Amino acid sequence: MAEKKALIVLAPAAELGAGSSIEKLLKKGAQFANFAAGDVIDAAVAPETVTALQPQDVAAAIEGGVALGLIDLGNADTAALDAALATIVDAADRKTVIAVVAKGALVLQGSGINTKAGAVARAACAKDIVPTLAYITDFPITTECCGAILYQALKSPNMKLDETTKLKEALIRMEGALARDNREPWDKHDCA
């Protein structure tokens, strides 16, 4: 079961226009207006890593621990995208990152994404989505994956380094406590 989850919503015919869910997405996400469309998945990930979903299936998939969910809305218009996003965003938990591909734009929102990024001037393309999501959520990619990580959308461009540093510091603290034969916080509970 994947701890972190990624969802890709494809709506290439829809504009990022009016709609409460679209506005909420744009308010808390990073938007790349200079976006070159194309095949998002291509050969970047193994087919068994990607789970095709419908908007109504997202909640169950997230609860089930989907690593990478793909919601293809086909030729949906702005209103259909807004309705689908209402369901998808509501189902997403705090460990989920969502990538929405619309007509000429890409929006990233969720875990690891800078909520104050707003409009990002950097150009992005479809091949950049999978490496960025894989960097954030740790799902496996293939050797055919080519694209750039969109660091401008992240809370910290050194996110993995920060996580590794925290783990090393915690390990040092635990080793120190064991060396002193001090089992705190384990001594506080009889279950350990």
Side-chain angles (χ1 to χ4, degrees), residues 150-170:
L150 301 169
Y151 291 106
Q152 294 77 9
L154 303 180
K155 285 182 183 174
S156 168
N158 296 312
M159 185 174 79
K160 293 297 179 185
L161 179 63
D162 296 344
E163 289 176 3
T164 304
T165 302
K166 286 179 188 176
L167 290 172
K168 285 179 182 178
E169 289 170 354

Side-chain angles (χ1 to χ4, degrees), residues 5 52 74 88 106 180:
K5 296 153 283 274
I88 294 165
L106 166 67
R180 292 187 309 269

Side-chain angles (χ1 to χ4, degrees), residues 88-157:
I88 294 165
V89 171
D90 187 45
D93 60 14
R94 65 182 189 84
K95 294 277 189 179
T96 305
V97 61
I98 303 170
V100 178
V101 177
K103 189 175 189 178
L106 166 67
V107 179
L108 298 171
Q109 180 202 28
S111 177
I113 302 298
N114 184 357
T115 58
K116 295 178 174 65
V120 180
R122 179 199 192 280
C125 68
K127 292 192 182 289
D128 297 340
I129 296 171
V130 170
T132 302
L133 295 178
Y135 180 76
I136 296 169
T137 63
D138 302 322
F139 62 79
I141 56 175
T142 65
T143 56
E144 287 79 27
C145 181
C146 66
I149 296 172
L150 301 169
Y151 291 106
Q152 294 77 9
L154 303 180
K155 285 182 183 174
S156 168

